[in-house]
Amino acid sequence: MALLALKEQLNVLLNSMFAEGLLDQQFQQLQMLQDGSSPGFVAEVITLFCEDSERILTELSKLLEQQVVDYQKVDAYVHQLKGSSASVGAQNVKLACAQFRQFYEENNKEGCIRALNVVKHEFYRVRNKFDNMFQLEQRIQAYDAKQQN
Amino acid sequence: MDGSTCKVLLVEDNEINRVVVRRLLGELNVRIEEADNGKAAVDFIREGRAYDLILMDKEMPIMDGHEATRQMRSLGVSTPIVALSGNSLQSDRDLFIQAGADDFLSKPLSRGKLAHILAKYGLNHGD
């Protein structure tokens, strides 16, 4: 019964992530790619996404701390983050990156700083949910393994 | 053409995108080579490597997709080149077609989009 409860918690979590716009159907594409031959595929991709996103957000913060902002570099980093968030289905991060564009196109430093804060907020929001998701999956796998032994 | 021998060149600078597309194409029984910028892709062609399809991202460091496509065509490459972009603007498509691309796919890529484009160019997989 505990296993069922865990699976139900995971379902509720995933459903809420879709309902809140944190995830879109591209995440379902990733889930469909996970199978017996690649049991950790989703975790691998999401881990890569989170690490890369942290790096990009750090670089963006540094760029926007400069007196003279290199908006071309800002563009390149935001483009990269928009692309990878779209690839993993992190919808709100993708949308926040899309909104960012107008500010660096206008060379609007204050606007860029505000937009970066929105991107950070959405990224940390989805990253925390991913952490919860993987913890639940690990507990389910541990339970499954225990029951089989 | 038998899908199990079909070879695709993915030209994409974003590692996460490459990981996902690599897996998607693997599921479709397609062999894949990867280049993380346009120049690397053009160098592959200069080395004599041949492909059944080229998936070409637009914005990349060192050499972008437009320029890589132009250079490949000037080298005599007749392989279908499918442009990839996160925007689905007509202007984006037009620029890529002018550069020599045959087709356009908007990102993120899905299994369905890739299966469709493979079928369109006769690269049917065993799906």
Side-chain angles (χ1 to χ4, degrees):
Chain A
M1 290 305 286
L3 180 60
L4 280 175
L6 284 172
K7 287 184 175 178
E8 179 59 20
Q9 267 187 55
L10 180 59
N11 265 345
V12 167
L13 173 62
L14 275 169
N15 288 339
S16 75
M17 289 174 81
F18 282 104
E20 291 168 36
L22 295 175
L23 294 178
D24 62 26
Q25 63 188 9
Q26 185 66 15
F27 185 76
Q28 289 169 327
Q29 289 282 321
L30 294 191
Q31 289 177 307
M32 288 195 291
L33 292 173
Q34 182 157 297
D35 58 19
S37 68
S38 275
F41 180 71
V42 174
E44 177 200 334
V45 175
I46 296 301
T47 300
L48 202 56
F49 166 70
C50 290
E51 287 170 358
D52 198 50
S53 300
E54 293 266 24
R55 176 189 64 85
I56 288 172
L57 292 173
T58 300
E59 293 301 322
L60 281 169
S61 296
K62 284 183 198 170
L63 284 170
L64 291 173
E65 281 165 11
Q66 303 304 309
Q67 209 160 6
V68 179
V69 176
D70 186 339
Y71 288 104
Q72 263 195 322
K73 284 189 178 169
V74 170
D75 179 11
Y77 279 122
V78 174
H79 176 78
Q80 215 174 332
L81 182 54
K82 180 170 166 263
S84 52
S85 59
S87 269
V88 304
Q91 181 175 247
N92 279 359
V93 178
K94 176 189 75 176
L95 292 174
C97 289
Q99 292 295 312
F100 202 139
R101 184 171 213 155
Q102 60 179 311
F103 298 111
Y104 58 74
E105 283 184 345
E106 293 168 358
N107 289 5
N108 180 343
K109 185 174 178 176
E110 287 308 312
C112 283
I113 291 169
R114 283 197 304 274
L116 177 58
N117 286 336
V118 173
V119 173
K120 282 181 177 177
H121 171 76
E122 291 301 339
F123 168 68
Y124 289 120
R125 214 172 134 212
V126 76
R127 192 193 65 176
N128 288 342
K129 298 271 185 172
F130 280 141
D131 285 344
N132 292 344
M133 185 181 86
F134 292 133
Q135 278 173 23
L136 281 170
E137 285 184 349
Q138 281 170 358
R139 287 172 69 189
I140 289 166
Q141 280 165 18
Y143 231 103
D144 262 340
K146 201 173 161 185
Q147 285 198 327
Q148 279 170 25
N149 288 340
Chain B
M1 181 166 300
D2 178 3
S4 65
T5 61
C6 160
K7 194 159 90 166
V8 169
L9 174 62
L10 171 64
V11 191
E12 164 67 72
D13 64 315
N14 187 308
E15 186 189 356
I16 290 152
N17 292 355
R18 289 200 306 273
V19 168
V20 174
V21 175
R22 186 188 304 150
R23 183 94 179 104
L24 284 169
L25 287 173
E27 287 273 294
L28 293 170
N29 210 22
V30 168
R31 288 180 300 148
I32 178 173
E33 284 188 15
E34 298 169 25
D36 62 6
N37 66 75
K39 183 179 180 303
V42 172
D43 287 345
F44 284 172
I45 299 298
R46 287 186 200 278
E47 286 168 18
R49 299 191 201 192
Y51 304 97
D52 300 300
L53 187 80
I54 297 170
L55 297 173
M56 181 74 75
D57 189 26
K58 180 187 147 194
E59 291 184 39
M60 293 181 285
I62 304 174
M63 185 187 292
D64 70 17
H66 293 145
E67 182 57 27
T69 300
R70 265 190 291 273
Q71 289 201 18
M72 285 185 181
R73 290 301 186 218
S74 72
L75 288 170
V77 170
S78 58
T79 305
I81 297 176
V82 177
L84 308 177
S85 178
N87 299 318
S88 48
L89 299 171
Q90 191 59 46
S91 53
D92 242 13
R93 294 173 189 243
D94 291 346
L95 282 170
F96 244 123
I97 301 298
Q98 279 168 28
D102 299 282
D103 223 311
F104 191 98
L105 278 180
S106 59
K107 295 196 288 187
L109 297 182
S110 64
R111 183 190 169 106
K113 285 181 186 177
L114 287 168
H116 172 79
I117 208 77
L118 289 169
K120 184 173 178 182
Y121 290 100
L123 303 172
N124 295 315
H125 49 86
D127 188 37

